[in-house]
Amino acid sequence: MLSEESILKTLQHIVGVEGATNDTPDLIAYSRDQNWLFVPPQKPDFVVKVRDKNQIREILRLANRYKLPVVPLATGVNVRGLCIPTQGGIVLDMREMNQILEISPSMMTATIQPGVTAGQLSVECMKYGLSPNNTSAPDTVSAFANYLLRGLYFTHSSEGDDHILSMEIVLPSGEIIKTGSSGIKPTAGPYARGGGPNLTGLFQGVPGAFGVVTEMTVKLRPYPKHVWVYFFGFDDIDKEIEAIDEVMKLKIPTQLTMGTLPDMSKMRSLDDFTALMGLMAERMEQNLSESSADQVAERMKQMAAVFPKAFVGGCILDDFKDRFTLYKKTLRKTFMEAGGRDLSSIIKTTGGFFFFYEDDMQSGGRADATMLRRGYYHALAFYGPLNRYKEYDQMFKDVAVKHDLDPEGALLGGITCAPWHGQQTYLERSVLVDPNENPEGLKIYTKECVENLLDMGIYGWFRPYADTLDATLERWGATGEFLKKIKMLVDPNSIMNPGRFIF
Amino acid sequence: MDLEDWHDVASSCMHCRICVNPEFHEVGGWVPICPRGNKFKMETFYAPGTFELIRAIIEGELTENSPKLQKAVYSCTMCGACSALCEIYSAPGAKVKRMGKTFVDMYIDLRTEMMKRGWGPLEPHNAILKNIANTDNAWGGTRGDRERWAKGLGAKDLNKESADVLYFAGCTATYDPKLKGMMTTAAEIFNRAGVDWGILGKNEKCCAGPSLRIGDRDQFKAYAEENIELFKKSGVKTIVTSCAGCYSTFVKEYPEVADMSHIKVVHVSEFISRLLKSGDITFSKEVPMKVTYHDPCHIGRYCGVYDAPRDILGLVPGIELREMMQNRQNSWCCGAGAGMKTALPDVASETGVRRVKQAEATGAEVLVSSCPFCAQNLTDSIKEADSELKFMDLTQIVAMAL
Amino acid sequence: MMELEEWYNVVSSCVHCRACTSSDIHMTGDENLPICPKGNMFKMESFFACGAHEIIRAMIEGEINENSERLQHVIYSCTMCGYCSYHCELYSPPGQKCKKMGKTFVDIWQDLRADMMKRGWGPLEAHNAILKNIANTDNAWGGTRGDRERWAKGLGAKDLNKESADVLYFAGCTTTYDPKLKAMMTTAAEVFNKAGVSWGILGKNEKCCAGPSLRVGDRDQFKAYAGENIELFKKSGVKTIVTSCAGCYSTFKNEYPAIAEMDGIEVLHVTEFIARLIKEKKIEFTKEVPMKVTYHDPCHIGRYVGVFEEPRTILRAVPGVEVREMIQNKRNSWCCGAGAGMRTALPDVASETGQHRIKQAEDTGAEVLVSSCPFCAQNLMDAIKESDSDLKFMDITEILAQAL
Amino acid sequence: MSTEFSMKTANEDAVLNTLRQIVGPTNATSHIVDLVAYEKDQNWPFVNPHLPDYVVKVHNKKEVREIVRFANRNKIPIVPLAAGINVRGLCIPTQGGIVLDMRDMNKILEVNTEMMTVTIQPGVTSAQLSAACRKYGVRPALTSAPDMASIFANYLLIGLYHSSSSDGNFHILSMEVVLASGEILKTGSRGLVGAPGPHARGGGPGLTELFMGSPGSFGVVTEMTAKLYPDPKFNAGVAYGYDEWEPAVEVSTKLMDARVATQIDIIDDNLLITFLPTEMVDRMGEEAVRKMLPKVVMICTITDTIKERMEVNKKVAQGICKDVTEGKNFGIASMGGLGELSSGGRITTGMLQKGYYHCFAFYAPLNKCIDYRDINYKTAEEHGYSADYDASLLAIPQAPWNGQLTYYELEVLTCDPTDPAQLKQIQGYSEDLVQKILDCGIYGWFRPYAEVIDVTIDRWGTTGEFIKRLKNLVDPNNIMNPGKFVY
């Protein structure tokens, strides 16, 4: 094994003296995030700032030869510890590798590097009258990593979550793989899916465990000139689900979020509200923070009188006026006929949540970051069919009661995902237990919910987070074994973000 | 506060990096906002990195000093931008806001802890502290020179007489000959408006803001107590200062040392704006100039004084004010803050040059601000960037229009 | 009739698009149905037309150079219903090439069996029995010549060996020698008399049309009988020949012209002739026949020649009859299973194919399955028994007899 | 009395006996009469015919698994065949071995209108599936290949559909693959035990697309769940003929940008003729019909479940067409067979009319359409074909429209390869055209046809190497349809 000095010297030879460091202050900055309960903090041995793929290639070759773990980090903003070097090694900080290599209006594509953030991409695309599929995550996240791990988008219910056309991956061996247009030289451009097996899917959904993705070409769409945010209340969740299914099958909504709301009459103060409404309350709390206590109580009473048992909210984005108005009319008619009440105006004035998203929905932004205000954001997120929403919801409530947590203490929210086959819905149960107060309680609660979900049957986890992986492995059968084989093929020395996916 | 008291805030950083770039809708582009991080790039030099450093120091994970630690801690201009952004969106900002504080308070306590452990400050900082201790000002200027600028400008000597307004010039403006105009114009305006004002002259001491921001809490406490005594003794109701640093120190730090509630502290831009509104002074001459205004962090982000300077410029006939891309709470720091100009001049210069470039981009001929530190650094930066821009203090513009 | 080698270009242009294996959904009630009896039964690709093309190519190229039971099974289990040819003709190369030559795949399969006989690889024992019968008794069933005219006694049929008439009614061996089918001829006679048609029969001198010999592969026997028959027809001086047997009809229409000139004698199937009589108002139906029927198009008058509408006009003309179409009808009909010597050589194919058709007939809810060909009649009646269906089989003439 | 015909043949051996134990005596054969049917298809100029050693009719997954495991142990090549009508020799056993005939493994296991998914076996044909789905008021992605094709294989090889311009051409949600080792790999949501149905894509890396785009070279796919779409009750069409290509390309680009079309086809006159009913062409004579046809036709079909949306989209489409140029309106009705667009059919078999269907199919941006046309016409002329009669071009813009992803097909439909001179001509033309197109730059080939795959491998660089390593991982003994894909 090389000594630490010689490794540092080699790294500095590759990226320059300023680019590589093993000073403790630098290492500390990369050692943890708020998900410490499930991903224990760990300092890397080295931090390297890279600027281009040749540097990455040399570093990977070095790491592969001496079995040094490598953790690729685009901006590191995932609050789920995906970039914490749990086995030490090198953190490959690609924040400065943030060029938008090309935006092509005629091709409606953008070719970006890992460090490009969602806000940066949205701003640049706007100059061409275009827009990427904007993530609902804060705009400081790396758009690159968000597409790689398939995030949530304001176009989730009409465009789905696959927005990568082709990408370039550096394997630990130093080889560079081109997916999608299968890299036939000379190619007409790294844009679209070419023939033969498409490898793009293989390297998606995996936090840098198969190789370092250094470049990707993503889909753009015309800037949505028209945006309409809606919020409907339902008292009958079954009718609501039926109406949602009908609307999704008509291929109308751009984003559709749904969920049940806790019993509003129990709300007295803002703290009740925050506890009951969970994530949705953050921005409200901010809006109400200036008003006096009784103003707040008055606002709570107003809302309690109006709030439904279940809600459907979201937006419609389109660039053609008459098609846009047709969608609005059809969606409203479908929901109203199913017993929905249009609460948009009331919600806009009282709580405001959902509507603080309005300009984000059109052009991206960071309103969603308000979810982080409590200092912890722990959520169990998975994909399942919408028609089993009630079963999943009931399960979470039962487990909460079992651990004497308030069953109404959190919201099971769902976002419908195009192309809607299998009623594929993103379902998230935000867990409002503060890990600092009751770490063990949260761990037990999460473990039990994960086991129950797997027993009840889900389509798959939203992402391979640490708290879901081990329970899933035994149930993955031959597919799990096959993924291990693929991992051994691309990363025989298991240096790529080890311990983060399968092994 | 002690550093330990910040443990909860420090360990609740979500690493969401909202503090690294301002909201692009407001700014119209994806731009950096943290001078230190933008220059050194490593995460240690951004707020999330600093939070982890503080947590590591408190928890004993980081037990010995190192040049990298010093560089990380002392290259921060304390411009407060990260705090302003985090406050809106994320956890540490929300907690700090509930405490009525900002990240700057934490960074100050970090430097106090560094000094306590003998891990800092840097040599040039010690020179500043020594100057303040010996000559009551950071520049080593003699007490005698304190009042030289005011000779023949009709300023009462508040050590003996009494007046409504105490004009606190501030060391930097007093001892930097290039900035003399800031005070003389202020005096001219007071007289023109018939304001009953005076100065402390020789007895005017440094507000000790720099000592606090370098980490010498004791020196700051001593000077703060003396100054507050002096202010009470002078019996004035209002203190007006041209120096943004003094202004923020009087408004935010002094109340924690001793009761200051009986005295109202007003920045010169606020005072002039009030005089204009009350009609005590009016503009008569045309000032056909294209200008852009730089918000000094200590009056802007620290205290929310954004509109007064713009109201003034708005009333100046013939002037055209063009906003820079990054303005108000999203302003880019001039680079001089927290002893940067003396200790890490490369940070000050690089930050200043970037601000000059932003000013040029507006097509303005003159870059205006209202803080002696910004004045010094931006003037130097204009030279370094050999830009055709001219720097003028707000009061100089007012003088031209009177 | 051609040598097998002459088909080389057609068979090797098969693109294996398998249009010959299932129906075009737009033609069969939006259902994707099997169309090839032997393929549907034995499943292997060799039992479909595209398989047969490759086998022929292999036999021509010598890749298949020895006989085998498998080869015989593949070749002789084909009822020659022509459905595959019809579908290939629509878009694919072999069918299009045949169409330009004015031929169909049936010609290929006939030449293939001729080649098999030439090579001594066929036909099967059961086929040889048929050929021997025809050679000895001028009919495939071994019936005596004397019995040829027994059915016509007292029905006013002129003896065209001595007298002359406008129409020669050619009964056909199967109709003549199968007692169950006697009514087909007697009703035809009754209709002719009622319509005042001057008609006669050849009686003892009526010989087998030798269609079966051609389809079994004995081209020489066919040529001989065809020549004699054409002479007989010309000598009888009739203007029109009417036959109840679909097999004889297609042989006279499609095969005889290649043997010798027919001097413009018009050949009509009994359904065409009766439809004409109805149009000319020579006969009309008076009695009510309240019956739900479904009509099975015999391949030899339907797909081979194109007689689809006439039988239906007859049925519609009979008061009280409700005609219901099966899902596979007219040019898309499923074969009854009896064609090309199947009933004698591979009865299992005939039976299963027949029962498949019975099920389709039952699905229409009709009480009576009607057709107009003795082979179909025999096989469908047996199939009704085997699948113990409560359908009844009637020849079309029997129905109109009830309404006269 | 049923006659027994034995299938006895000289080359019966232990392998055949094992196969017969697995699938039953009548379902496995090595008789020459049965083998010849699998020996060739019309692409023999580029995939030389070869007899399989055995043909096996399988009916369920268990049989497939046992056969694959047996073949892997004895290193016997396996060629999976769903309907085998790809007319490009993908199922020709070029290295002998076992042809796995899955034509009778053709059950539609589940049509689920609530989940809008259908679970099918390999032998299910497009006609069978589209007819079955219509009963439920839904439709699968209707392939523009003839409806006798296996829709299963068509989805696996990523075909072309009557809605490729709006639904794209990825219709598989999850599938079950039997690997050479006999392991059964379940992709998408099937992989997770207890998943609520094989209906959707699960999280984590997508393995489904790994087994798409190659002719069974990575394993035998035995079951898949595919997407269903609502059966469009309303359909309209906008079709314009142009004598220049530029307006056709410009209109299509704008229509795709506006996302109003279900399908856009840009067809030149040489190809258009094959779609017209043969009687009409024979009756009027090819020359007269050619005069009637414009040089290139842009057909935009708009189908929808919501009437108003179809009207809105149609209005936008007509607006776009008018803005570009006043093209000659070309009624779809006159297209005869093309009316089958909404229900699937056999019209495209017409392209095979002349007995041989030589085509190059690849993906590339629409804005290079005219370059490819010129390359095809020039190369055709150089090899003695006439650009006006023989060489033709079809372009179909694909969703997702990013990268102006367009399917191109350059054809010569007038060659009869049985004539040695024409055979040499087409092979020369093909070799020349491959290089020219690759030099001009494409995204990738439509399918790994024989005549393009070996030329492409050396241009595929490390990606090609990586795919070889993947193939080696799943099929170490190279028994899966060897020689057809990477090696």
Side-chain angles (χ1 to χ4, degrees), chain D residues 80 214-219 448 471 474-475 478 480-482 484-487:
Chain D
S214 64
S217 314
F218 283 71
K471 160 89 176 172
V474 291
D475 178 18
N478 188 18
M480 285 296 167
N481 208 355
K484 271 310 147 41
F485 179 57
V486 177
Y487 49 78

Side-chain angles (χ1 to χ4, degrees), chain C residues 362-399:
Chain C
E362 283 173 343
D363 290 349
T364 64
E367 300 142 332
V368 176
L369 172 59
V370 184
S371 191
S372 56
C373 158
F375 290 97
C376 301
Q378 281 181 334
N379 202 41
L380 291 175
M381 278 192 265
D382 290 351
I384 288 176
K385 248 196 255 75
E386 264 140 42
S387 51
D388 55 63
S389 152
D390 35 33
L391 263 177
K392 258 167 70 277
F393 179 85
M394 295 175 75
D395 183 74
I396 192 163
T397 45
E398 286 173 75
I399 294 199

Side-chain angles (χ1 to χ4, degrees), chain C residues 15-19 22-23 25-26 30-32 43-46 57 63 68-70 73 93 346-347, chain D residues 1 5-7 31 34 38-40 51 57 83 85 87 103 125 131 134-135 148 343-344 346 352 355:
Chain C
V15 290
H16 288 276
C17 72
R18 301 192 84 244
S22 64
S23 70
I25 50 177
H26 298 98
D30 203 15
E31 290 285 341
N32 185 227
K43 300 295 179 188
M44 275 293 179
E45 194 68 356
S46 33
R57 178 193 51 70
E63 199 173 1
S68 61
E69 275 189 28
R70 184 65 167 182
H73 189 197
L346 294 107
Chain D
M1 179 267 281
F5 287 83
S6 93
M7 294 163 68
H31 197 289
D34 295 321
Y38 299 86
E39 186 179 0
K40 68 179 256 304
L51 278 173
K57 278 252 169 208
I85 76 148
V87 295
R103 287 179 174 123
T125 65
R134 246 191 302 285
K135 296 193 177 60
M148 305 79 77
S343 59
R346 301 184 164 193
L352 308 165

Side-chain angles (χ1 to χ4, degrees), chain C residues 156-158 160 164-169 192-193 195-201 238-240 273:
Chain C
K158 290 183 180 157
L160 290 180
S164 73
D166 300 343
V167 167
L168 158 63
Y169 175 61
F192 296 156
N193 298 338
V197 169
S198 114
W199 65 284
I201 61 171
V238 286
K239 277 198 280 17
T240 320
F273 189 68

